[in-house]
Each structure stands twice: as structure tokens, then as C-alpha cells.
Amino acid sequence: MTLYMDYKSPSVQFSYDLNNNLLYKKDARNYINMLSNEQLNTLENTSLLDIFLSTGNVIEPHYHQNAAELVYCISGAAVVSLINPFTNELLHFPITPGQVANVPQGWWHYEIASVDNTHLLAIFDAPVPEVILGSDLLRLTPPNVLAHTYCLNEAAVKQTLAPISKSLFIGPPSDCRPHQVHGNMTGTPQYYPANPYQTHPSEVHNPIGYQSPRQQFYNSQPYPNQHY
């Protein structure tokens, strides 16, 4: 029971319709609704995202700095992928109706729908889940810093990341086309494999840092230039 809640108050809330709180919408088949104590004030350390995805759509790589995430599959199928920062392993967990995958607090992860009409419920142990999106890390980190840090070609980095102009949430972007390559770089483009959940055994994944330029929230307007 929430000790500071006045349960006699006429403003106390015990139910809510998630359809009234759209977090993000890519199109009619790919969108996210949200519930936190901003919508239901009797909630304590619980919040959730109601996620709808079609085949190949991705909840972009991200992490939650204030909450663990339990992903429950209601319908369809998806693969929940995460990096274990203690072992530097990229792990993949296919889930179908009735199955769950748990992502500990602060772990880098993403979800990819395996079939159409996939419906996921992401449950958090926080009243309002905070998030750091991969799209924001890429677009807000200066290209010259990335180039200098990782010994990369600055012009190529800038050109490659230029299309990432806002927070994505669900990818690929709606204006993306199969085998689309941004810019005029030469060489053979790398496409998604037939099974996007497999990674080459030689890939090495280093731990993801948990620092952020500023704290971000799902509620209100969490990122610059992001509108719901």
C-alpha cells in the first residue's frame, strides 16, 4: 500500500485505459502504450509498456538506468537480446506466448519481433521507467569524439550517422527501404542476415557505460526533438 496516498481522496485512481496514453507510434502495427504512476496514482514501484510489433521491427537498443525489465509475450513471437556486462556476452532469448525474458537494471538490450501481430508487455520495478536510447547516444555524441576515440574516419562517421536525427524507439525508420544505404560510401554494404538474432562468434561486446549527459524519462517529452 502507498503510505502517502490519501485513499479517501476523490482523485485516487484504481484503473486506467492504456489506449489513452500512446508513448510512440511508428505506424498502425508498430506502437507502444505506457502506464506509470503518472496515469495511475495508486501504483507503487510498477510500470509497464504495452508493445505491438510486426515482423522484423525492433525496439531499438537501449537501457533503463532505474529499473529492471520483465518482457512477457502475449501473442506472436520475439527475441529479447541483451549484453551481460559481467561476461561480455551477447545473449538471445526467443519468447512465445506465456514466456518471459528478464533484463536486469542498466543492461543494454533490444527486442525484435519474429512474426506479425506480436504483442509484448514490458514490466518495470519503478514508478516511471527511465531510458537511454541507442539513437540518442549515436546522434548526440559528436562524430569527432567517436572518430578520435575509436580511430575512425570522422567524415565517414558523420555521414553514416547523419540520418539519425531524432529518438527512434521502434526501428527501422518508416522511411527506410530494404538494402538502403545512406550516403555515398563505397564498399559492400552489410545487410541483416536471414536470422537477425544470430551473431558471429568472433564478435566481441564490451560493457556498456551507464553515464548519460542528462537523465531521460518516458513521460512528458523525454528527448530533444521528440514529439508524441
Side-chain angles (χ1 to χ4, degrees):
M1 183 173 67
T2 304
L3 297 180
Y4 57 81
M5 174 63 62
D6 178 6
Y7 289 95
K8 296 180 181 179
S9 169
S11 64
V12 69
Q13 301 165 315
F14 297 104
S15 65
Y16 185 78
D17 184 351
L18 270 72
N19 295 305
N20 295 328
N21 192 40
L22 179 69
L23 169 66
Y24 182 86
K25 184 174 183 178
K26 174 182 174 179
D27 54 41
R29 298 192 300 163
N30 297 276
Y31 60 94
I32 307 170
N33 294 325
M34 179 190 170
L35 176 70
S36 73
N37 68 358
E38 297 288 329
Q39 292 78 43
L40 188 61
N41 58 19
T42 52
L43 281 177
E44 295 188 66
N45 289 323
T46 305
S47 51
L48 60 84
L49 298 180
D50 199 22
I51 302 169
F52 299 84
L53 298 171
S54 56
T55 305
N57 277 266
V58 186
I59 300 297
E60 68 162 307
H62 63 284
Y63 66 88
H64 305 285
Q65 64 269 45
N66 74 326
E69 176 181 349
L70 182 65
V71 184
Y72 174 74
C73 183
I74 298 173
S75 63
V79 175
V80 179
S81 299
L82 57 84
I83 294 177
N84 183 333
F86 296 95
T87 63
N88 285 352
E89 292 180 288
L90 176 60
L91 306 174
H92 309 285
F93 302 99
I95 56 175
T96 55
Q99 298 179 331
V100 301
N102 190 52
V103 182
Q105 179 177 338
W107 287 28
W108 190 249
H109 63 286
Y110 54 93
E111 296 90 19
I112 305 180
S114 307
V115 299
D116 286 340
N117 301 311
T118 290
H119 185 188
L120 306 175
L121 196 64
I123 306 164
F124 303 92
D125 57 349
V128 180
E130 300 167 6
V131 65
I132 301 296
L133 298 175
S135 55
D136 289 314
L137 293 178
L138 291 173
R139 71 187 182 88
L140 297 176
T141 304
N144 65 318
V145 172
L146 293 172
H148 175 72
T149 303
Y150 303 108
C151 193
L152 303 172
N153 181 289
E154 182 179 342
V157 171
K158 185 178 296 186
Q159 185 180 41
T160 299
L161 299 181
I164 307 175
S165 60
K166 61 182 180 180
S167 306
L168 187 60
F169 283 99
I170 299 176
S174 55
D175 59 352
C176 183
R177 298 293 177 264
H179 308 315
Q180 178 180 1
V181 179
H182 292 282
N184 299 311
M185 294 181 64
T186 59
T188 304
Q190 298 297 314
Y191 303 126
Y192 290 109
N195 182 351
Y197 321 119
Q198 294 179 345
T199 53
H200 195 277
S202 65
E203 289 182 352
V204 177
H205 300 271
N206 293 321
I208 303 300
Y210 304 123
Q211 292 288 330
S212 168
R214 66 184 215 176
Q215 194 176 52
Q216 309 292 358
F217 297 88
Y218 272 124
N219 60 313
S220 66
Q221 191 167 326
Y223 300 104
N225 303 321
Q226 181 65 48
H227 301 281
Y228 303 126

